[in-house]
Amino acid sequence: FKSQSMIQSIFTDQAATNASLQFNASSENQTKQFMSNMRTQVNQFNASQTNAMSEFNVSETNAMSKFNSDMRSS
């Protein structure tokens, strides 16, 4: 009975260890997924800001060209 109890205790400890390892792996995967999503969001934001700045610069260049053209025509 004592050896059976000891074996059962070992299996129980191993089950707890396995559950802990699975939880940690799941948590690590969730952390990696979160960081990956954050990286994607930051990249999308940066691309959006770059596009907005480019559009602004083109708009300003066009406005300056029109102004210069109007000044030459006057």
Side-chain angles (χ1 to χ4, degrees):
F1 179 76
K2 187 174 180 179
S3 70
Q4 185 179 3
S5 179
M6 184 182 284
I7 291 171
Q8 186 62 36
S9 174
I10 291 170
F11 284 143
T12 303
D13 289 346
Q14 187 60 47
T17 300
N18 289 344
S20 176
L21 291 173
Q22 287 175 344
F23 176 77
N24 288 339
S26 175
S27 179
E28 183 178 345
N29 287 339
Q30 288 173 341
T31 301
K32 287 180 181 179
Q33 184 178 13
F34 173 79
M35 295 305 290
S36 177
N37 287 340
M38 288 297 293
R39 215 174 3 263
T40 298
Q41 289 176 359
V42 167
N43 289 339
Q44 287 174 337
F45 176 79
N46 288 341
S48 176
Q49 292 301 103
T50 299
N51 289 341
M53 288 187 297
S54 294
E55 288 175 15
F56 175 80
N57 289 339
V58 167
S59 178
E60 291 299 301
T61 299
N62 289 342
M64 184 62 76
S65 294
K66 182 176 179 346
F67 174 78
N68 287 337
S69 177
D70 289 347
M71 293 301 291
R72 283 192 296 269
S73 296
S74 298

